[in-house]
Amino acid sequence: MTAFLEAHRDNFTISTNPTRLNLDAICDFLTRAYWATGRPRERTERALKNSLVFGLYDGSRQIGLARVSSATTPSSPTSATFSSTRITAGAVSASG
């Protein structure tokens, strides 16, 4: 059994529990981001499944997402990437 971490402050929660993620909201917002136009939902789901995810919640509403992934390739024995998406009404912003 995997243990998930949660941190709380006021009405906000950060959680590593992937079952809390609102995939519909994540995919909806990503389709409006210029850097993710045309990305299939399956690709997003696979990326999240293979990452350590951090959901940011205001009460029960997801308002942000960060993910950390690592890969081993012949040219890069260990590499890690970090990307985040802030989900707000009508807007998407990202860093990575």
Side-chain angles (χ1 to χ4, degrees):
M1 175 182 259
T2 303
F4 302 113
L5 302 175
E6 288 199 348
H8 305 275
R9 178 172 287 174
D10 300 326
N11 200 41
F12 298 101
T13 303
I14 297 173
S15 175
T16 62
N17 186 344
T19 63
R20 289 193 64 178
L21 297 175
N22 183 336
L23 291 176
D24 291 333
I26 294 166
C27 292
D28 177 58
F29 280 102
L30 288 177
T31 61
R32 292 187 264 147
Y34 73 91
W35 44 268
T37 302
R39 177 181 294 171
R41 180 185 176 107
E42 296 78 24
R43 184 173 167 195
T44 299
E45 289 177 354
R46 186 173 56 247
L48 294 173
K49 180 180 176 184
N50 293 311
S51 302
L52 173 60
V53 295
F54 296 83
L56 174 61
Y57 304 89
D58 182 358
S60 62
R61 186 174 67 96
Q62 184 175 354
I63 60 171
L65 168 73
R67 72 182 185 96
V68 178
S69 62
S70 64
T72 302
T73 63
S75 61
S76 176
T78 57
S79 64
T81 60
F82 172 81
S83 61
S84 64
T85 302
R86 182 180 61 202
I87 302 172
T88 57
V92 175
S93 64
S95 63

